[in-house]
């Protein structure tokens, strides 16, 4: 009899947590947009990485016996590929385009993960996924040729797509070289390594003048909530419903990112952005169908 209440609890809890996680990651693009003009991309990303790693550090400490020295030969480059460089690219894009642009580009991660698995790791992609990739890339072309307030956003789109490409590579590396490790502890390790990679650039590009309180608040929220706590929520979802269903949060991030940027920053959402988002999210949805 107790199984029924537990199942009902899971039924309402999972969509609620997916929605909250989508909102948190959608907020990350808003926070970057507010904070990066004052910090610059390198210093902002360093703050984000350090705070995210600190939130997850207790999990790494508890599982430290599972992280011998040889593990760090993979953890260090994965931290660079899966966190440090993509975070910088998205922050750089946030200086040059509305927050919704980065959020829409982020949805390409799922497609790039499938493409890299096919090209380099021998996984089958299938005709449906191949067509979904073409549709997704057509959405990127539409987005890259868009203009917001008369200004071209092509370079910001390229940066966001490159970040998503690195995320897709990182997903495959994590799958092959970090399986069997506690996910939260692994995230702490890779974020810590990424912060060390970024430290020299952050120190040489640290803001010279005072940073406003609002920018600091956004930077702290970006690290603590959008990185540390969000990773915990995501890994808990993966453990409960599996990676495929958990990845449906990808559909929500652009929606929240665009909505928050419009609501709080007054940034426009153009017809071309909506068309590109529909093409990219539609292709992701098709590629994820069993």
């Amino acid at each position: 009899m107790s199984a029924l209440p537990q199942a009902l609890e899971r039924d309402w809890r999972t969509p609620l947590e997916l929605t909250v996680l989508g909102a948190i990651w959608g907020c990350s693009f808003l926070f970057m947009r507010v904070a990066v003009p004052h910090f610059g991309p390198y210093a902002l990303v360093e703050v984000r990485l350090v705070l995210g790693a600190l939130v997850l550090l207790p999990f790494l400490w508890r599982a430290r016996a599972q992280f011998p020295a040889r593990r760090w030969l993979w953890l260090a480059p994965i931290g660079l590929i899966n966190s440090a460089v993509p975070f910088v690219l998205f922050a750089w894009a946030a200086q040059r385009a509305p927050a919704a642009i980065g959020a829409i580009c982020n949805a390409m991660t799922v497609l790039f993960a499938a493409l890299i698995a096919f090209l380099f790791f021998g996984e089958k992609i299938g005709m449906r996924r191949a067509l979904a990739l073409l549709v997704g890339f057509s959405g990127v072309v539409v987005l890259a040729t868009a203009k917001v307030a008369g200004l071209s956003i092509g370079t910001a789109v390229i940066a966001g797509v490159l970040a998503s490409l690195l995320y897709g590579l990182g997903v495959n590396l994590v799958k092959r070289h970090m399986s069997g490790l506690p996910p939260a502890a692994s995230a702490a390790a890779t974020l810590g390594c990424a912060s060390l990679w970024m430290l020299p650039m952050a120190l040489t590009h640290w803001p010279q003048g005072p940073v406003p309180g609002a920018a600091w608040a956004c930077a702290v929220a970006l690290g603590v909530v959008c990185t540390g706590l969000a990773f915990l929520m995501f890994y808990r979802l993966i453990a409960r419903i599996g990676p495929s269903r958990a990845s449906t949060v990808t559909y929500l991030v652009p929606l929240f990112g665009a909505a928050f940027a419009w609501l709080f920053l007054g940034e426009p959402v153009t017809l071309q952005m909506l068309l590109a988002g529909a093409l990219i999210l539609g292709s992701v949805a098709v590629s994820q169908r069993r």
Side-chain angles (χ1 to χ4, degrees), residues 34-179:
V34 173
V36 74
H38 304 284
F39 280 95
Y42 301 111
L44 178 62
V45 168
E46 181 66 12
V47 172
R48 178 180 186 178
L49 290 168
V50 169
L51 291 176
L54 287 175
V55 170
L56 299 171
L57 185 60
F59 298 93
L60 178 58
W61 178 256
R62 189 169 61 186
R64 61 189 183 279
Q66 296 177 252
F67 289 82
R70 66 179 183 276
R71 286 280 190 185
W72 295 91
L73 296 176
W74 276 109
L75 289 168
I78 287 174
L80 181 68
I81 293 168
N82 203 41
S83 297
V85 179
F87 285 3
V88 168
L89 287 169
F90 275 127
W92 186 88
Q95 288 182 301
R96 293 159 174 82
I101 300 302
I104 293 170
C105 291
N106 184 69
M108 291 291 295
T109 298
V110 175
L111 300 178
F112 279 127
L115 179 62
I116 289 169
F118 168 70
L119 292 175
F120 301 106
F121 297 103
E123 292 190 12
K124 294 182 179 180
I125 195 169
M127 183 60 70
R128 176 168 47 81
R129 276 194 170 182
L131 291 174
L133 281 166
L134 291 176
V135 173
F137 291 133
S138 70
V140 170
V141 173
V142 171
L143 193 62
T145 56
K147 289 189 176 182
V148 178
L151 298 176
S152 175
I153 57 172
T155 55
V157 172
I158 292 171
V161 171
L162 286 175
S164 298
L165 175 63
L166 289 172
Y167 278 156
L169 175 59
V171 166
N172 282 279
L173 292 176
V174 167
K175 180 179 177 180
R176 283 157 181 80
H177 299 289
M178 294 171 62
S179 60

